[in-house]
PDB file of all heavy atoms in Angstrom:
ATOM      1  N   GLU M  13       0.586   7.542   0.074  1.00 86.00           N
ATOM      2  CA  GLU M  13      -0.252   8.599  -0.494  1.00 86.00           C
ATOM      3  C   GLU M  13      -1.715   8.179  -0.605  1.00 86.00           C
ATOM      4  O   GLU M  13      -2.612   9.020  -0.662  1.00 86.00           O
ATOM      5  CB  GLU M  13       0.268   9.005  -1.872  1.00 86.00           C
ATOM      6  CG  GLU M  13       1.639   9.664  -1.871  1.00 86.00           C
ATOM      7  CD  GLU M  13       2.771   8.666  -1.722  1.00 86.00           C
ATOM      8  OE1 GLU M  13       2.480   7.440  -1.782  1.00 86.00           O
ATOM      9  OE2 GLU M  13       3.922   9.091  -1.528  1.00 86.00           O
ATOM     10  N   LYS M  14      -1.958   6.885  -0.634  1.00 90.00           N
ATOM     11  CA  LYS M  14      -3.324   6.381  -0.797  1.00 90.00           C
ATOM     12  C   LYS M  14      -4.025   6.124   0.536  1.00 90.00           C
ATOM     13  O   LYS M  14      -5.194   5.732   0.548  1.00 90.00           O
ATOM     14  CB  LYS M  14      -3.302   5.098  -1.628  1.00 90.00           C
ATOM     15  CG  LYS M  14      -2.785   5.305  -3.059  1.00 90.00           C
ATOM     16  CD  LYS M  14      -2.805   3.997  -3.826  1.00 90.00           C
ATOM     17  CE  LYS M  14      -2.287   4.197  -5.257  1.00 90.00           C
ATOM     18  NZ  LYS M  14      -2.278   2.929  -6.024  1.00 90.00           N
ATOM     19  N   VAL M  15      -3.307   6.313   1.633  1.00 96.00           N
ATOM     20  CA  VAL M  15      -3.871   6.060   2.957  1.00 96.00           C
ATOM     21  C   VAL M  15      -4.230   7.397   3.607  1.00 96.00           C
ATOM     22  O   VAL M  15      -3.445   8.348   3.589  1.00 96.00           O
ATOM     23  CB  VAL M  15      -2.868   5.292   3.839  1.00 96.00           C
ATOM     24  CG1 VAL M  15      -3.410   5.116   5.247  1.00 96.00           C
ATOM     25  CG2 VAL M  15      -2.547   3.941   3.225  1.00 96.00           C
ATOM     26  N   TYR M  16      -5.405   7.458   4.182  1.00 97.00           N
ATOM     27  CA  TYR M  16      -5.866   8.671   4.867  1.00 97.00           C
ATOM     28  C   TYR M  16      -5.080   8.850   6.150  1.00 97.00           C
ATOM     29  O   TYR M  16      -4.933   7.923   6.948  1.00 97.00           O
ATOM     30  CB  TYR M  16      -7.357   8.533   5.166  1.00 97.00           C
ATOM     31  CG  TYR M  16      -8.002   9.727   5.810  1.00 97.00           C
ATOM     32  CD1 TYR M  16      -7.909  10.994   5.253  1.00 97.00           C
ATOM     33  CD2 TYR M  16      -8.754   9.571   6.976  1.00 97.00           C
ATOM     34  CE1 TYR M  16      -8.536  12.085   5.834  1.00 97.00           C
ATOM     35  CE2 TYR M  16      -9.398  10.655   7.557  1.00 97.00           C
ATOM     36  CZ  TYR M  16      -9.280  11.907   6.988  1.00 97.00           C
ATOM     37  OH  TYR M  16      -9.902  12.975   7.563  1.00 97.00           O
ATOM     38  N   LYS M  17      -4.584  10.078   6.377  1.00 97.00           N
ATOM     39  CA  LYS M  17      -3.667  10.327   7.483  1.00 97.00           C
ATOM     40  C   LYS M  17      -4.213  11.436   8.387  1.00 97.00           C
ATOM     41  O   LYS M  17      -4.561  12.525   7.919  1.00 97.00           O
ATOM     42  CB  LYS M  17      -2.289  10.718   6.937  1.00 97.00           C
ATOM     43  CG  LYS M  17      -1.660   9.604   6.086  1.00 97.00           C
ATOM     44  CD  LYS M  17      -0.381  10.059   5.401  1.00 97.00           C
ATOM     45  CE  LYS M  17      -0.630  11.017   4.251  1.00 97.00           C
ATOM     46  NZ  LYS M  17      -1.392  10.386   3.138  1.00 97.00           N
ATOM     47  N   VAL M  18      -4.241  11.148   9.678  1.00 98.00           N
ATOM     48  CA  VAL M  18      -4.748  12.083  10.673  1.00 98.00           C
ATOM     49  C   VAL M  18      -3.608  12.444  11.613  1.00 98.00           C
ATOM     50  O   VAL M  18      -3.025  11.565  12.264  1.00 98.00           O
ATOM     51  CB  VAL M  18      -5.911  11.473  11.472  1.00 98.00           C
ATOM     52  CG1 VAL M  18      -6.436  12.474  12.499  1.00 98.00           C
ATOM     53  CG2 VAL M  18      -7.026  11.020  10.533  1.00 98.00           C
ATOM     54  N   GLY M  19      -3.280  13.723  11.699  1.00 96.00           N
ATOM     55  CA  GLY M  19      -2.256  14.198  12.624  1.00 96.00           C
ATOM     56  C   GLY M  19      -2.904  14.744  13.884  1.00 96.00           C
ATOM     57  O   GLY M  19      -3.849  15.545  13.810  1.00 96.00           O
ATOM     58  N   ILE M  20      -2.430  14.309  15.041  1.00 96.00           N
ATOM     59  CA  ILE M  20      -2.985  14.743  16.327  1.00 96.00           C
ATOM     60  C   ILE M  20      -1.881  15.384  17.146  1.00 96.00           C
ATOM     61  O   ILE M  20      -0.845  14.767  17.406  1.00 96.00           O
ATOM     62  CB  ILE M  20      -3.608  13.564  17.082  1.00 96.00           C
ATOM     63  CG1 ILE M  20      -4.772  12.981  16.273  1.00 96.00           C
ATOM     64  CG2 ILE M  20      -4.089  13.996  18.478  1.00 96.00           C
ATOM     65  CD1 ILE M  20      -5.342  11.705  16.845  1.00 96.00           C
ATOM     66  N   GLY M  21      -2.083  16.641  17.545  1.00 94.00           N
ATOM     67  CA  GLY M  21      -1.086  17.362  18.319  1.00 94.00           C
ATOM     68  C   GLY M  21      -1.720  18.080  19.488  1.00 94.00           C
ATOM     69  O   GLY M  21      -2.942  18.092  19.653  1.00 94.00           O
TER      70      GLY M  21
END
Side-chain angles (χ1 to χ4, degrees):
E13 294 78 8
K14 297 181 180 179
V15 176
Y16 183 54
K17 299 173 287 296
V18 181
I20 298 173

